[in-house]
Amino acid sequence: MNFVGFLALLLIPSSEPFSILRALKTPGNQLYERKLNSNSQDSGWTDSSPNVANPMQFPAAWWGIGLSSEVSNQPVAMKRFGFDLVLWRDSNGKLNIFEDSCPHRAAKLSLGQVVQNKESNESCLQCPFHGLEFDSQGLCQFDPEDKKPKPFIRVPKITAIERNDVIWMKWGNADLPEPDYLDKFDSYYAIFFKIRSKGSFEKNIKNQEDGSHVEFVHKNSFWRFVKNMSQNKNPTTQMTSAGILSHNGNPEFYFDLKFPNIWINPRDTPNTEDALLVMAAPIDSNTADVYFKYHRNFLKNPIIRTLVDPLIQIVFQYIAMEDQQIIASQEGNESKLGQKSNRLYRKDDQRIRYFEAYLAGKPPLQSPLFDRPSLDIPIGPKVIDSDSQDLPDSSPTEEL
């Protein structure tokens, strides 16, 4: 969507006057929220994980859980995968993620502060309850009671990296390469906002993969400008071990799902490039923080940004809130990832079924077919009854 399209969404009358502005008042639309609250096994913790029951089994991967710009010089509380986490930076700006619980009396470390240890001159996270100081490895370097380090007292630390302004948390113990597919956007200008979704991360990603909902959910907004792009009769979908690329032949309209939880809608034209990134970070089995980050390589002048950015953000927020109303209305949750909970028989459902198989870790995902560079799947008009034997429950290999 170009800039004229953004303005048109604001100015062209809809069936609900001022509905865009009203949507921004909807509870749950929390912009730049810093304080979050926060359960799962084998999460990449360097120490033993908390003894918490975990109905969710997530695929081993680098998961986008937040943005670097959310964490400055003070601790930030964040709930991910059901765990309460605290994110903080040392004096060199290096990010650290701990369990948000002091091993002494379980006070929230996110209520503490970052201090310089007087002996080692290292940055430490200080407990707000009794002043214990924990270094970047989670070891206690100072106990005010006897003014000595007590390294046998430690906080579980989580494996994480920062790249492309995204905080990536490693889930599982597999040797995984760092995600680099957002590198091209490092030179772009970007704005973002965040919504607390009443649906799981899985529902949010499935929503992004479901292109056919746009005509109905977004009939008064987005659909006006993309309906002519969506008339291609021979769309293709490439399904690989890295994700799902959906293309309808129009260079301005394609979707790129990067497993496990990032969806990108890029636009490459001779003069401009931009991309909408949607990242659904799991809070627990039923809720997610959904980040919307818009990258562009144009309209970067500071004066123009001041005028344009609020309008762009209003448009994206409105479209996002239209989705969230539907997502919140869907019954059930995805506490068991990838479970079959719907009758999947429409064209877009191929992608949803494939995503479910990835999340569930079904055996076909390890087959030679799955490991090929790509599969070009024409999405034809044939409709298959989901209860028939033509559409197996869990095997994308057999489906295709």
Side-chain angles (χ1 to χ4, degrees):
M1 187 187 303
N2 56 29
F3 179 55
V4 175
F6 281 119
L7 289 178
L9 273 177
L10 292 173
L11 300 177
I12 295 178
S14 71
S15 61
E16 299 182 57
F18 306 109
S19 57
I20 291 181
L21 297 179
R22 280 208 308 273
L24 302 187
K25 297 180 180 180
T26 304
N29 183 13
Q30 303 168 21
L31 300 182
Y32 299 91
E33 179 186 348
R34 289 304 182 105
K35 281 287 182 182
L36 312 175
N37 293 319
S38 190
N39 302 193
S40 181
Q41 296 170 343
D42 193 19
S43 58
W45 300 63
T46 58
D47 199 355
S48 58
S49 301
N51 184 20
V52 180
N54 171 34
M56 302 178 290
Q57 300 294 325
F58 294 93
W62 286 104
W63 290 72
I65 65 165
L67 299 182
S68 296
S69 49
E70 293 184 282
V71 186
S72 56
N73 58 349
Q74 291 302 319
V76 174
M78 185 176 286
K79 186 173 185 176
R80 293 293 180 262
F81 306 99
F83 286 124
D84 287 308
L85 309 175
V86 55
L87 290 71
W88 64 282
R89 297 187 184 280
D90 62 23
S91 58
N92 296 317
K94 181 176 173 53
L95 178 72
N96 301 285
I97 305 181
F98 292 169
E99 177 186 352
D100 193 9
S101 177
C102 180
H104 174 219
R105 295 281 301 281
K108 293 287 187 186
L109 292 172
S110 56
L111 299 176
Q113 60 181 334
V114 179
V115 299
Q116 293 297 120
N117 182 272
K118 295 180 179 179
E119 295 297 326
S120 65
N121 202 35
E122 287 184 80
S123 297
C124 290
L125 180 59
Q126 185 183 67
C127 175
F129 200 2
H130 297 98
L132 277 69
E133 298 177 8
F134 299 93
D135 65 15
S136 60
Q137 299 305 309
L139 306 179
C140 178
Q141 295 295 346
F142 182 74
D143 182 348
E145 182 180 50
D146 54 15
K147 302 186 178 357
K148 293 181 180 180
K150 294 182 178 176
F152 57 89
I153 302 175
R154 59 184 306 184
V155 183
K157 181 179 179 178
I158 296 156
T159 303
I161 59 171
E162 292 182 276
R163 188 165 179 154
N164 315 115
D165 191 40
V166 174
I167 298 172
W168 304 88
M169 175 175 163
K170 186 179 180 182
W171 188 273
N173 296 320
D175 184 15
L176 302 171
E178 292 188 7
D180 59 3
Y181 51 82
L182 298 180
D183 286 356
K184 68 170 292 183
F185 301 120
D186 275 350
S187 62
Y188 289 26
Y189 174 73
I191 60 174
F192 85 94
F193 66 95
K194 178 173 62 178
I195 288 176
R196 175 65 54 85
S197 174
K198 293 182 180 179
S200 67
F201 102 91
E202 184 176 347
K203 284 181 181 175
N204 278 276
I205 292 296
K206 287 177 178 178
N207 177 77
Q208 297 302 129
E209 279 297 292
D210 181 359
S212 61
H213 81 279
V214 175
E215 180 178 357
F216 303 96
V217 178
H218 306 295
K219 60 180 178 292
N220 293 320
S221 57
F222 191 43
W223 176 245
R224 302 179 189 187
F225 301 96
V226 301
K227 58 183 177 182
N228 293 330
M229 300 179 188
S230 305
Q231 301 306 314
N232 188 292
K233 302 303 182 182
N234 297 296
T236 61
T237 296
Q238 295 176 305
M239 302 182 184
T240 74
S241 57
I244 304 172
L245 177 64
S246 306
H247 206 298
N248 73 344
N250 190 321
E252 295 190 17
F253 199 73
Y254 64 99
F255 313 128
D256 193 2
L257 170 59
K258 298 296 188 181
F259 290 155
N261 69 324
I262 290 183
W263 181 92
I264 310 168
N265 178 199
R267 181 174 69 113
D268 299 320
T269 65
N271 299 317
T272 62
E273 290 184 52
D274 60 358
L276 173 64
L277 181 152
V278 179
M279 181 172 73
I283 296 175
D284 52 31
S285 61
N286 298 309
T287 57
D289 276 331
V290 185
Y291 294 80
F292 299 81
K293 192 173 183 184
Y294 177 60
H295 300 262
R296 67 176 189 263
N297 69 349
F298 56 94
L299 297 178
K300 297 193 291 185
N301 179 281
I303 297 177
I304 295 178
R305 293 199 319 242
T306 302
L307 299 173
V308 171
D309 287 357
L311 297 178
I312 294 176
Q313 186 159 303
I314 286 173
V315 170
F316 278 132
Q317 285 178 246
Y318 178 62
I319 295 171
M321 294 311 295
E322 288 179 320
D323 282 325
Q324 290 304 313
Q325 182 178 13
I326 298 298
I327 290 171
S329 75
Q330 293 175 288
E331 295 182 0
N333 62 55
E334 277 73 31
S335 59
K336 182 180 178 182
L337 292 185
Q339 64 183 352
K340 180 183 177 183
S341 57
N342 308 105
R343 292 171 57 86
L344 301 176
Y345 58 85
R346 306 190 69 201
K347 290 183 289 184
D348 282 344
D349 294 343
Q350 271 191 94
R351 301 194 296 271
I352 292 174
R353 178 63 61 80
Y354 196 80
F355 180 52
E356 286 183 346
Y358 162 76
L359 293 176
K362 299 295 184 181
L365 298 183
Q366 308 301 322
S367 70
L369 179 62
F370 184 85
D371 291 333
R372 291 177 185 174
S374 67
L375 301 174
D376 293 332
I377 314 296
I379 303 179
K382 182 179 179 183
V383 174
I384 303 174
D385 183 353
S386 64
D387 291 335
S388 76
Q389 294 183 354
D390 293 332
L391 191 61
D393 281 354
S394 61
S395 171
T397 300
E398 295 177 22
E399 282 180 47
L400 308 179

